[in-house]
Amino acid sequence: MPRHLYLCPLRWSDMDAEGHVHNAVHLRYLEETRIDLFRSHGFRGSAVVAQMDIDYVAPLRYRPEPVRVETWVTKIGGSSYTFAQEIRDQDMLYSTATCTMVAFDRTTQRSRPLEDAERRMLEGLGL
């Protein structure tokens, strides 16, 4: 299945007192990856996060090399879609996440149906 790969830089300020990347920072890495995915695949619509679940598997220690964040689509509905995401190195998994997003109409401030172009882009990333 196709995956979107983002090489996410670690920042000195991401570290907690134990020398690990703080758990809340994992969420920021996942968000940066989704933004990169939308930009690189030409996604023009508006969407909001409806649900975010994350499992922390192993501590990610600060280092100068970026970490891999992989994202793929696991479900597409009428107005929502779900991404699976992993923060990892080639052979080490740090966290896994599931993010459900909903297409959003900024004018009405409500969900809206996915457009055909959005659906095609999402279908190209999984299922």
Side-chain angles (χ1 to χ4, degrees), residues 14-58:
D14 295 347
M15 204 174 15
D16 64 17
E18 300 299 320
H20 305 129
V21 171
H22 190 275
N23 63 330
V25 175
H26 283 242
L27 293 171
R28 189 174 71 219
Y29 292 172
L30 297 168
E31 177 185 42
E32 285 180 31
T33 301
R34 291 190 308 273
I35 291 168
D36 182 70
L37 180 152
F38 291 143
R39 280 189 192 137
S40 64
H41 290 277
F43 192 87
R44 299 286 182 243
S46 182
V48 295
V49 173
Q51 184 172 351
M52 188 78 193
D53 296 310
I54 186 167
D55 291 313
Y56 300 95
V57 179

Side-chain angles (χ1 to χ4, degrees), residues 36-108:
D36 182 70
L37 180 152
F38 291 143
R39 280 189 192 137
S40 64
H41 290 277
F43 192 87
R44 299 286 182 243
S46 182
V48 295
V49 173
Q51 184 172 351
M52 188 78 193
D53 296 310
I54 186 167
D55 291 313
Y56 300 95
V57 179
L60 172 57
R61 295 200 172 275
Y62 175 81
R63 79 291 177 95
E65 301 83 27
V67 68
R68 296 170 62 94
V69 185
E70 298 181 12
T71 304
W72 64 99
V73 174
T74 60
K75 181 180 177 184
I76 302 173
S79 62
S80 67
Y81 47 96
T82 303
F83 288 127
Q85 295 185 277
E86 293 178 345
I87 298 176
R88 62 178 310 120
D89 288 323
Q90 198 67 27
D91 55 353
M92 178 64 138
L93 181 64
Y94 301 107
S95 61
T96 63
T98 303
C99 179
T100 301
M101 301 198 67
V102 176
F104 188 71
D105 184 316
R106 292 180 187 168
T107 303
T108 65

